[in-house]
Amino acid sequence: MAVSRRKKALVVGAGVAGLTAAALLAYSGYETTVVERSASPGGRAGRMERDGFSFDLGPTLLFMPDVFRSAFAACGADFDREVPLERVSPNYRLHFVDGRTLTIGSSLPETIDALERFEPGSSGGLLHYLAGCALAYDVSRRHLVGTRMRGVRSLLAPAVLSALVRSGAFRSLRRTAERAFRSGTVAAALSFQTMYLGMSPYASPELYRLLFFTEMGEGIFFPRGGIYMLVRALERLALSCGAKIEYSTTVRGVVEGGRGVRAVTSDRGEIACDVALFSADLPYVYASLLNEPRHRSTGMRHTPSALLIYAALERSYDGVAHHEFLMPADLRATCDDIFARRRFPRDPAIYLAAPSATDASMAPAGEEALYVLVPVPNADGATDWKSQTAEKVDGILKTIERRRFPGLRGRIRWMDVRTPQHFLEELNCSRGSAFGLSHDLLQIGPLRPDTRHRRLRNVYFAGASTRPATGLPLVTLSAMQTVERICEEIPA
């Protein structure tokens, strides 16, 4: 009697989505192999360590821990044991050009008090605004990201359409914030967060005020040892479930057979598979690995990118919050520069992360691993990064010195820089976009590219540019939903 063979699953990419998918596939009985072109896991959530300094190269905070708990539990593991979390307090501090600061606390009473000190009377609209944020979050989890979307028809179901209308999918986020708060400055403080998912708050649907609820209602978290501890925990999880991981292996293309692929080609030869799951950037996969440069994902709206500076400071500063933002004088003008004019903003928005405020292990005692992120256009923009990077970095450091950290450049022991060109050339992100495809109204939920190839029936996708969306918890959901689909359509 013949013994049935386990299906071979191949996962391309060892980022958060790829490792999650690999663990789930292996746990579900597939003979699973992960191939990753880099020498270590992480992808956009990579790591740099030098001279006792540790830098998370991409995401610097963690939302929605229940998603990770579910992913680990689905593989019989305990997320909280594998990735101990610290709740960040305060959530973050905003610095405005008039010298005022606003601290968004980790609790509602703290934030109400801070708003009243910052702009008397402004806390009156906070509870109403937060209630709307909670509704948007609930609708999104129930109808857009929390369950697998099986097609555009699912978006047109009366209950879903009604929920989307109530939660603000067809209204402006910025206008809603301005109605809730008399102060335009406060409105900016409670709506600018979409910039860090690659969207302008002036063009975002009101639905995205859900981001403020994730901060205030659930909290902002940081794993002990940094975000990269999540990556390493997922790597351990995948290996413990039986997956194999091959680093320093570059995928070149696929070998088609019937209505699917029978192997992928790599610099180490062909790798046979019954199922192929690509977690690399989706437009890149279609254009470069599947040889479909005209796939609709390549022509969809892409998010902007980021200028990233990793500065090892030989002396830390006192009283620094883990997360701080230097707000521009005119947020709308800054957003117009980035999103409409596609040029380096004349007055940049600057995000600062000083992780030692929460976890002292991220830098030597008395020193700091300062992370700087500036939203900028992607590689299609007007900036010539090969010739202008040094100039742009120096300008950003001067602004930080003037507005927040006097003498900053004199304290830098060493620094490293990433630009949109790095996202394009080193991470294979289409157009150098840091966050994948945009999440505007015509590119949400089932309107995003499907998680399975239309013609190649055993080729699947997970990650930022497919369903449901971008961000660490959402690419984790993407992996979970795609593996659920694989298990239904091609059982192990």
Side-chain angles (χ1 to χ4, degrees), residues 99 159 405 408 450 460 485:
F405 297 139
L408 173 65
D450 197 1
Y460 294 83
R485 182 174 185 177

Side-chain angles (χ1 to χ4, degrees), residues 37 43-44 280-284 302 305 378-379 420-436:
R37 80 170 199 162
R44 276 174 267 192
D281 182 63
L282 188 70
Y284 165 79
H302 288 52
S305 193
N378 60 39
Q421 286 300 124
H422 174 83
F423 285 95
L424 178 66
E425 297 168 2
E426 299 299 323
L427 296 175
N428 290 332
C429 295
S430 177
R431 304 187 193 178
S433 297
F435 312 100

Side-chain angles (χ1 to χ4, degrees), residues 66-407:
D66 65 292
V67 171
F68 305 103
R69 292 188 182 105
S70 295
F72 276 71
C75 296
D78 185 340
F79 170 73
D80 293 292
R81 179 178 298 172
E82 296 294 328
V83 190
L85 299 179
E86 299 284 348
R87 184 163 182 175
V88 175
S89 182
N91 281 356
Y92 46 85
R93 183 174 298 138
L94 307 177
H95 300 264
F96 298 91
V97 291
D98 60 6
R100 294 189 298 163
T101 63
L102 173 60
T103 299
I104 303 298
S106 57
S107 72
L108 187 57
E110 290 174 327
T111 302
I112 288 175
D113 289 345
L115 280 172
E116 280 303 311
R117 290 193 301 272
F118 181 82
E119 194 80 53
S122 62
S123 67
L126 179 62
L127 293 179
H128 179 73
Y129 184 75
L130 186 59
C133 296
L135 173 62
Y137 178 83
D138 180 65
V139 167
S140 178
R141 288 295 298 265
R142 286 175 182 269
H143 300 295
L144 292 178
V145 303
T147 57
R148 175 155 57 95
M149 304 295 283
R150 300 173 184 268
V152 177
R153 288 183 180 179
S154 60
L155 196 65
L156 301 177
V160 176
L161 276 178
S162 175
L164 289 174
V165 170
R166 288 187 293 108
S167 65
F170 306 101
R171 297 188 296 268
S172 163
L173 167 64
R174 180 59 186 209
R175 288 178 183 171
T176 298
E178 289 174 343
R179 284 195 300 269
F181 305 100
R182 291 176 296 177
S183 166
T185 304
V186 173
L190 301 186
S191 63
F192 82 100
Q193 294 85 354
T194 59
M195 292 183 68
Y196 297 90
L197 283 181
M199 297 183 66
S200 167
Y202 297 93
S204 298
E206 183 189 282
L207 176 68
Y208 287 102
R209 57 180 170 167
L210 65 89
L211 294 171
F212 185 67
F213 179 78
T214 62
E215 299 171 357
M216 188 59 56
E218 295 188 332
I220 294 175
F221 298 89
F222 189 70
R224 295 175 197 165
I227 296 295
Y228 200 62
M229 296 302 100
L230 169 63
V231 173
R232 285 300 187 187
L234 286 168
E235 179 189 45
R236 292 193 303 271
L237 182 65
L239 292 171
S240 71
C241 290
K244 298 177 182 179
I245 305 177
E246 298 182 7
Y247 293 110
S248 302
T249 302
T250 301
V251 171
R252 306 293 189 192
V254 299
V255 180
E256 295 190 23
R259 298 185 65 193
V261 302
R262 59 178 179 82
V264 301
T265 59
S266 76
D267 54 0
R268 296 188 180 185
E270 288 189 8
I271 306 172
C273 61
D274 299 298
V275 174
L277 188 154
F278 292 87
S279 66
D281 182 63
L282 188 70
Y284 165 79
V285 169
Y286 269 105
S288 299
L289 303 184
L290 300 178
N291 196 29
E292 298 181 35
R294 291 192 175 89
H295 183 263
R296 78 180 188 97
S297 65
T298 64
M300 295 174 74
R301 187 188 298 275
H302 288 52
T303 57
S305 193
L307 169 62
L308 291 159
I309 304 169
Y310 313 102
L313 305 187
E314 59 186 14
R315 280 193 300 133
S316 62
Y317 288 85
D318 294 331
V320 180
H322 190 141
H323 305 291
E324 301 198 7
F325 297 85
L326 305 185
M327 301 292 285
D330 185 340
L331 183 61
R332 182 185 290 274
T334 298
C335 289
D336 285 347
D337 279 345
I338 298 168
F339 295 91
R341 302 184 184 99
R342 296 186 181 182
R343 67 187 183 192
F344 193 92
R346 291 164 294 181
D347 183 12
I350 302 174
Y351 162 59
L352 307 169
S356 293
T358 300
D359 184 350
S361 72
M362 301 296 288
E367 304 184 48
E368 184 57 83
L370 183 67
Y371 172 109
V372 181
L373 183 151
V374 181
V376 299
N378 60 39
D380 285 348
T383 304
D384 181 353
W385 290 104
K386 294 187 185 300
S387 64
Q388 295 181 290
T389 295
E391 169 198 338
K392 301 302 184 187
V393 168
D394 191 55
I396 293 299
L397 294 177
K398 286 179 178 177
T399 298
I400 298 171
E401 278 190 327
R402 174 172 52 84
R403 294 188 54 188
R404 183 64 183 103
F405 297 139

Side-chain angles (χ1 to χ4, degrees), residues 6 9 11 19-33 75 237-244 483 492:
R6 288 196 301 159
V11 178
L19 291 172
T20 302
L24 291 165
L25 285 166
Y27 190 81
S28 299
Y30 296 82
E31 184 181 328
T32 305
T33 301
C75 296
L237 182 65
L239 292 171
S240 71
C241 290
K244 298 177 182 179
V483 170

